[in-house]
Amino acid sequence: MTISKVRALTAIILAAAACSCSGNNQAKEGEQTDTPSPVAAAIGTFNADSAYNHIARQVAFGPRVPGSDGHRKCADYIIGTLTSQGVDTLIVQTGEVKAFNGDVLPIKNIIAGFNTRNSKRVLIAAHWDTRPWAEMETNMNLRDMPIPGANDGGSGVGVLLEIARNLAIKHPSVGVDLIFFDAEDYGNADGFGTNPDSWCLGSQYWVENMTPYSADNLPVYGILLDMVGGRDARFNYEAFSAQNASTPTIKVWSEAERLGYADIFPRSIGGAATDDHVVLTRAGIPTTDIIEINNVETQTFPPTWHTHNDNMDNIDRNTLKAVGETVLNVIYKEKAF
């Protein structure tokens, strides 16, 4: 994914979020106002160790660049894990996409469905490929080598696979589709924001061939997970999500606050990213992006981004737990039509 800095407040979502949180906090006459709201109980049993282990397995395959041996092994691992968990439906969408440099990439978008007969559906997504270059490396000799992708690629997949385990045990009221997008990170970093269409090739392919949907049965909204495992991560509002997908954004950040993760999900704009959520939103599925985009050190993506330090040493189980529990709660609280 790429980033463009956006610091202006998005008034609509900030006001809506404030309303969603303040409705039951009005103090009656004679009551104290400094008592914190009780932390809500988590629904389901999200296991951060399980998510962490899924990430470690991916990293052990090596970089998951489309067409590589690690890429093939990781696809088999994701498909095998979902199959063993007992998903309701499993679709592997295969195809080829052409990268900005002319490379033709064999891709697999993996779609797991739960409660598939329900007409109301939500979509939860992550990308599973990894960056073929490390252009942010300070060591110039390493810049042409693919990154390990523990956080950028691995973390979203790890969380999704643990969410899948929960959904197979306790079905949600609505239909849920988990989509593992390929070829997100093969874009042109020269100028970043000037080459947005060179990124997110897997989701672009999926939108053109929207398995298993049609124009009249799209999910009501989506949630994208990208770089959700970093140490001491903070997930600000992503600007495009705030402006164009306010409903899922409010749902996620409000639920995080109820679960006691307000410090990890601050209610302020962090910046704007070119990511799979942009493709989905423009295709008619308003999608919010949970992504670390306002790191304390860098003020943008985390310092491991597109470097060889994106490894297991920088994955935090506490971060995985905060994201996983929040998204799982949002899913389980969603009511059918």
Side-chain angles (χ1 to χ4, degrees):
M1 76 300 302
T2 64
I3 186 170
S4 58
K5 297 298 288 180
V6 175
R7 296 297 180 191
L9 290 178
T10 305
I12 295 176
I13 188 167
L14 293 178
C19 292
S20 71
C21 293
S22 63
N24 295 324
N25 293 331
Q26 298 279 338
K28 297 179 182 178
E29 185 176 356
E31 291 183 345
Q32 294 182 347
T33 60
D34 57 353
T35 302
S37 301
V39 174
I43 307 173
T45 55
F46 185 88
N47 187 322
D49 287 334
S50 172
Y52 182 93
N53 290 335
H54 285 309
I55 300 169
R57 289 292 300 273
Q58 294 172 79
V59 172
F61 296 135
R64 282 84 67 204
V65 177
S68 68
D69 186 56
H71 185 261
R72 288 186 289 273
K73 289 178 178 178
C74 189
D76 290 343
Y77 178 73
I78 295 171
I79 294 167
T81 301
L82 293 168
T83 301
S84 68
Q85 288 171 336
V87 300
D88 292 347
T89 61
L90 184 61
I91 299 170
V92 180
Q93 181 191 58
T94 61
E96 289 185 342
V97 295
K98 190 173 183 179
F100 72 96
N101 60 358
D103 289 349
V104 177
L105 311 176
I107 66 166
K108 290 183 178 180
N109 292 324
I110 303 165
I111 305 109
F114 298 87
N115 200 10
T116 53
R117 294 186 179 183
N118 196 290
S119 60
K120 181 179 180 181
R121 310 196 62 73
V122 297
L123 185 157
I124 317 295
H127 77 90
W128 67 275
D129 64 303
T130 56
R131 182 76 171 152
W133 312 285
E135 74 277 359
M136 299 303 293
E137 265 292 338
T138 56
N139 185 340
M140 297 296 291
N141 294 326
L142 297 178
R143 287 196 170 184
D144 290 335
M145 298 175 62
I147 68 170
N151 194 23
D152 192 359
S155 63
V157 172
V159 171
L160 255 63
L161 290 176
E162 173 57 13
I163 286 176
R165 184 188 69 83
N166 276 265
L167 297 181
I169 295 170
K170 175 182 170 61
H171 271 46
S173 298
V174 298
V176 177
D177 293 299
L178 307 181
I179 301 189
F180 302 78
F181 285 123
D182 204 349
E184 186 270 351
D185 230 347
Y186 213 98
N188 184 359
D190 184 15
F192 284 113
T194 60
N195 303 288
D197 291 340
S198 69
W199 303 80
C200 309
L201 300 179
S203 58
Q204 290 186 58
Y205 183 89
W206 181 79
V207 164
E208 294 170 359
N209 308 271
M210 201 175 280
T211 305
Y213 306 112
S214 62
D216 58 354
N217 71 340
L218 295 179
V220 291
Y221 65 81
I223 301 172
L224 177 67
L225 312 182
D226 198 349
M227 295 194 294
V228 292
R231 292 196 176 279
D232 302 317
R234 298 293 179 269
F235 302 103
N236 296 77
Y237 293 134
E238 188 277 328
F240 184 88
S241 304
Q243 293 171 338
N244 300 286
S246 60
T247 295
T249 302
I250 292 170
K251 285 177 183 287
V252 169
W253 268 256
S254 297
E255 196 57 44
E257 186 171 277
R258 280 190 285 267
L259 290 169
Y261 298 127
D263 59 332
I264 299 176
F265 285 80
R267 291 179 179 273
S268 59
I269 300 291
T274 298
D275 208 347
D276 290 315
H277 70 300
V278 176
V279 177
L280 296 174
T281 298
R282 289 176 175 165
I285 307 169
T287 301
T288 192
D289 194 3
I290 304 176
I291 184 170
E292 187 179 6
I293 200 169
N294 191 26
N295 180 268
V296 173
E297 179 180 340
T298 66
Q299 303 303 303
T300 58
F301 292 143
T304 60
W305 176 63
H306 291 185
T307 74
H308 291 279
N309 287 324
D310 186 2
N311 54 39
M312 293 305 298
D313 291 341
N314 291 297
I315 296 296
D316 188 341
R317 289 175 174 83
N318 293 324
T319 304
L320 297 172
K321 182 177 177 64
V323 173
E325 279 193 352
T326 296
V327 175
L328 195 57
N329 261 41
V330 170
I331 294 171
Y332 279 137
K333 286 188 173 183
E334 196 67 47
K335 303 299 182 183
F337 287 134

